[in-house]
Amino acid sequence: MKAIKVFIDREEQFKMLCLVEKLNGHPDIMATATGPTEFVAAAEGEYSMAYTRAVIEGRLNDCTIEIIK
C-alpha cells in the first residue's frame, strides 16, 4: 500500500471535493479530505499510485505532495 498527503492552495480549494470523489471511484484508491486545503490518498500498488499522482497533478495547478508510506 502506498499513501500520500496533498497540500493545495486556498484558491484551488473548490477542486478538492471533485478530485477526492474521482479518486474514490477507482477500486484500488481511497482518498479523504483531512482539512480545508489538504487530503490523503492511498493506493493498492505502484500503478494505482502513479495514476493517483497523474490525476492530482493534472487537475491542480500548484500542490505539494508528501509521501506518507
Side-chain angles (χ1 to χ4, degrees), residues 21-68:
E21 186 177 321
K22 177 173 177 60
L23 292 172
N24 282 329
H26 195 282
D28 295 337
I29 301 169
M30 196 289 296
T32 187
T34 56
T37 59
E38 59 190 50
F39 65 95
V40 174
E44 195 68 31
E46 290 284 333
Y47 295 114
S48 295
M49 182 52 71
Y51 171 79
T52 301
R53 291 182 71 119
V55 169
I56 291 169
E57 291 169 358
R59 295 252 177 134
L60 300 173
N61 296 327
D62 187 29
C63 67
T64 303
I65 298 175
E66 178 182 302
I67 298 172
I68 297 174

